[in-house]
Amino acid sequence: MQDLATGMLKADALKGKTIIVTGGGTGLGKAMGTYFLTLGANLVITSRKLDVLKTTAAEMEAETGGKVLAVACDVRNYNEVEQVLQQALDTFGAVNALVNNAAGNFISPTERLSANAFSTIIDIVLKGSVNCSLAFGKYWIKEKMPGNILNIITTYASTGSGYVVPSACAKGGVLAMTRSLAAEWGRHQIRSNAIAPGPFPTKGAWERLLPGEMAEKFDFKNRVPLKRVGKHQEIANLAAFLVSDFSGYINGDVITIDGGEWLQGAGQFNGLEMVSDAMWDGIEKMTRSAKGS
Ligand code: HXC
Ligand code: NAP
């Protein structure tokens, strides 16, 4: 089996492309951005914390030899998004792909949420992805350039999930936007796709979704048929393929990368993995004797 930390695409697969990753200073955004640089892309990373972005940019440049522009931007504010686009154009001349990766989330029973807590998540995830897609889409259409939007959603964008309801609503909206823009902007050669990751350990997600002892009590890998969590390079490989021209005919799709986690939860009898062989012997006797009743 291949080393899971190995990059998948050939060395110059993204050469000549400039890619912007929102929330690119940490976690999965950092992993995806680092791999894009390795494949020859120029990179723009944004988030609210400029100090974090600058540290990450320096690390990325040292590791890959690529060029990174770090710009502070709260994706909730459309004018800040437009300023990022302008700075990216001033630095690199063009932008070819947008990865809507920035997100906010925390676990909570819904009835404990204030209206502002709910809107905060919707604003970052849904409105932020809308703001970026709108600004970059307008730019690509005006310049008559092909474009590429990759949205990082979650598996519960489709299934829904308790205890993260604002995030589920927002990610569901981003999924609808993915498919809608794929249909509408395809004629402008702007592709729109999504990745639905299962559990990939990051500080940002784990602190807010599995705080304290919850990390042991609710160990994600036990929910995954493959019995492990995802490796950052695995999502970076998929993201690099989707922002590259090799995926040129994929438009409007959502690709799940979760080791089978959501299906495990959905199948009515999947919980039977806890039944031992000895128990199955007894169960088989009972099911075989149930003839004609
Ligand atoms: C209840 C909470 C809360 C909590 C905040 N609030 N945290 N309510 N439980 N744990 C409420 C606040 O009281 C306030 O409402 C409102 O939410 C806004 O909070 P602020 O702290 O003012 O917001 P802000 O500074 O904008 O921070 C946003 C944030 C924060 C989402 C709350 O956690 C953040 O910055 N997150 C960014 C990174 C992140 O979340 N990464 C994880 C992504 S993981 P009131 O009414 O008091 O004003 C992910 C993966 C999913 O998406 C799948 C994993 C398997
Ligand atoms: P993370 O490190 O916390 O990443 C979230 C990023 O979003 C941070 O860099 C944060 O930076 C940025 N951000 C938050 N609010 C912002 C705002 N208003 N404007 C601009 N940037 C903002 O968590 P992660 O796990 O890597 O998550 C990355 C993406 O993967 C998210 O879309 C998440 O929903 C998705 N995902 C993750 C998992 C997982 O298991 N990790 C599973 C499914 C989906 P600042 O705080 O500096 O702004």
Side-chain angles (χ1 to χ4, degrees), residues 105 152-159 167-168 171-172 175 195-198 254:
N105 200 1
I152 309 302
I153 56 169
T154 64
T155 51
Y156 61 65
S158 305
T159 63
S167 172
K171 295 284 193 183
L175 174 56
I195 293 177
V254 50

Side-chain angles (χ1 to χ4, degrees), residues 279-291:
M279 285 167 78
W280 275 121
D281 291 341
I283 291 168
E284 186 176 338
K285 277 198 193 105
M286 289 189 278
T287 54
R288 281 183 183 279
S289 67
K291 287 179 187 149

